[in-house]
Amino acid sequence: MNNTSTSSTSSHEEDQKSMANKRYLPLLLLNYAFLFVGSLSSSLLSKYYFNHKGSSRWVSTWVQSAGFPLLIIPIVVPYYVFKSTQRKPFTHFTPKILLLSVFIGFMIGINNLLFSWGISYLPVSTSSLVLSSQLVFNLILSVIIVKQKISFMNLNCVILLTLSSVLLALESSNDKPQGLTPAKYFIGFFTTIGAGLLFALYLPIMEMVYKKVYCYAMVMEMQLVMEVAATALASAGMALDGGFSEMRREASLVFDRGERVYWATLVSNIVSWQLCFMGTAGMVFLTCSLTGGICMTALLMMNVVGGVVVYGDAFGGIKAVSTVMCGWGFCSYVYGMYVKNKMVKHLDHGRDGHDFVDHDVKNKMVKHLDHGHDAHDFDDHDVKNVEMSQILASSSSSTPNHLGV
């Protein structure tokens, strides 16, 4: 009887999450937009701070998480304003989830510090391409932690994006900013690699946690706690390093664009980082950690272009080849998801008895997919990946109604 009850509860939760996936198709598109805007603007603004004589890496770390009050909006508005949900904020937020969120938040805080060290030394375009190396770590850790099935499309994408970083590393000596010593350059290079590794660990851990969560508001609640923990870590570092008084001194005496521009830069940076983290959390929840990592890595191409356009970063043959490989890898992954989507639709049509004439072929395909489900090859995240491919395909077309939303 207990097993039946447990099975019924599990099935109910899966049904709820499946219904949520259908309702959240517009939300997935919105999160991708947040990720796009946040990723590009946060990198450019962080570099802008250092380019104009800002020097505190703790300040740069602090602004990455200090915008956590903004997360209150997606948490409380659906319940108190739109009345679109019956779940009160932080309902069923267990002590276990709280402690896990705090722990992950400290990990994010360390990741933010490593990123600040890297961006303080490296050009935006170089930093963006180096960060793409997180994808190979993401694939390996996804296989270990969430049993991600390695397929040709995700392996091909990871190889291409990783090779783009290797090419950049081989030619890194030609891209050092004037006056930067080789020692500091490689410190920036390897701290950026470390930031990519920590972020690659964060993604599959969050996918594992989100498998138990079927409410987007709860995702934002966990994200709020994580950002509070990361901000506490950054605030402690700033207090020990005199960072808060350094902010006032930098604003009035050091920053060469004036005090108003200084505070505008910090505020804009705070908002852009929250958009980036909101988009990342939503992508992982609605798709999977590997898809989220691939989308983020693909967006790094825009950071490379932004660094060249805004700051005049060098864009020689190596960066051009790396950028093309990055785009090629991402497009191949999206195309693979599109092919899987077509196969799933074809199979579903065949199950209704309207398409397959050869029932043996049909049964073999069904058996193959069912086996894939047991082996984590074709699970609920694959279905969400299929939905993601539809959104990405439609976002590049001129017919938004193709989403069916």
Side-chain angles (χ1 to χ4, degrees), residues 28 207 282-289 291-292 381 384-385 388:
L28 182 55
E207 179 183 348
M283 291 289 294
V284 173
F285 174 65
L286 297 169
T287 60
C288 71
S289 60
T291 298
H381 291 292
K384 291 189 287 185
N385 287 346
M388 182 59 194

Side-chain angles (χ1 to χ4, degrees), residues 13-295:
E13 291 181 356
E14 290 178 359
D15 289 343
Q16 282 185 300
K17 196 164 186 176
S18 176
M19 292 173 61
N21 291 336
K22 295 177 181 179
R23 291 198 309 267
Y24 287 170
L25 283 174
L27 186 59
L28 182 55
L29 182 59
L30 181 63
N31 276 272
Y32 189 75
F34 284 163
L35 181 59
F36 177 86
V37 175
S39 176
L40 178 59
S41 58
S42 60
S43 295
L44 294 176
L45 287 168
S46 295
K47 190 61 181 179
Y48 185 85
Y49 167 77
F50 287 109
N51 278 355
H52 294 286
K53 299 186 179 180
S55 60
S56 175
R57 295 177 185 87
W58 280 114
V59 170
S60 179
T61 302
W62 184 78
V63 299
Q64 293 180 51
S65 57
F68 64 85
L70 296 173
L71 294 173
I72 296 176
I73 297 174
I75 292 174
V76 303
V77 167
Y79 179 79
Y80 291 104
V81 178
F82 295 119
K83 310 294 183 181
S84 58
T85 178
Q86 296 180 352
R87 177 186 176 275
K88 290 183 178 180
F90 291 97
T91 302
H92 305 304
F93 203 85
T94 65
K96 181 179 180 180
I97 293 177
L98 177 62
L99 291 175
L100 185 61
S101 299
V102 171
F103 172 77
I104 297 174
F106 286 141
M107 186 173 72
I108 291 175
I110 297 173
N111 175 81
N112 294 345
L113 178 60
L114 290 175
F115 176 82
S116 296
W117 274 89
I119 199 68
S120 67
Y121 290 141
L122 300 180
V124 173
S125 54
T126 303
S127 176
S128 299
L129 287 172
V130 173
L131 280 173
S132 67
S133 65
Q134 61 90 16
L135 197 58
V136 67
F137 302 134
N138 189 356
L139 178 62
I140 295 172
L141 293 171
S142 294
V143 171
I144 296 173
I145 297 175
V146 295
K147 311 302 181 185
Q148 170 72 46
K149 183 70 174 180
I150 297 180
S151 65
F152 173 77
M153 68 176 182
N154 58 38
L155 183 61
N156 176 64
C157 181
V158 168
I159 290 174
L160 288 172
L161 293 174
T162 303
L163 285 176
S164 71
S165 294
V166 172
L167 285 174
L168 180 69
L170 293 175
E171 292 293 326
S172 61
S173 60
N174 298 326
D175 193 31
K176 291 193 292 291
Q178 186 176 6
L180 182 64
T181 64
K184 289 184 177 181
Y185 185 87
F186 282 105
I187 288 174
F189 192 91
F190 287 109
T191 52
T192 303
I193 290 287
L197 176 58
L198 268 181
F199 191 76
L201 178 62
Y202 159 79
L203 291 176
I205 287 178
M206 292 315 302
E207 179 183 348
M208 182 176 62
V209 173
Y210 289 158
K211 283 183 177 180
K212 306 298 182 182
V213 175
Y214 51 92
C215 173
Y216 182 79
M218 194 170 184
V219 173
M220 291 296 102
E221 290 163 6
M222 294 180 65
Q223 190 67 29
L224 175 64
V225 176
M226 293 176 200
E227 297 295 329
V228 169
T231 303
L233 180 65
S235 298
M238 287 184 66
L240 293 174
D241 196 44
F244 290 104
S245 59
E246 179 68 14
M247 289 175 68
R248 292 190 293 270
R249 189 184 71 84
E250 278 189 342
S252 59
L253 301 175
V254 178
F255 198 72
D256 61 13
R257 292 293 184 179
E259 188 170 353
R260 290 185 178 180
V261 176
Y262 178 85
W263 293 114
T265 300
L266 293 191
V267 171
S268 300
N269 218 340
I270 288 172
V271 174
S272 64
W273 275 111
Q274 283 311 304
L275 289 177
C276 185
F277 283 126
M278 284 178 63
T280 302
M283 291 289 294
V284 173
F285 174 65
L286 297 169
T287 60
C288 71
S289 60
L290 186 60
T291 298
I294 285 175
C295 289

Side-chain angles (χ1 to χ4, degrees), residues 374-389:
D374 295 335
H376 301 281
D377 184 26
F378 192 82
D379 56 12
D380 58 330
H381 291 292
D382 287 311
V383 175
K384 291 189 287 185
N385 287 346
V386 166
E387 293 173 346
M388 182 59 194
S389 70

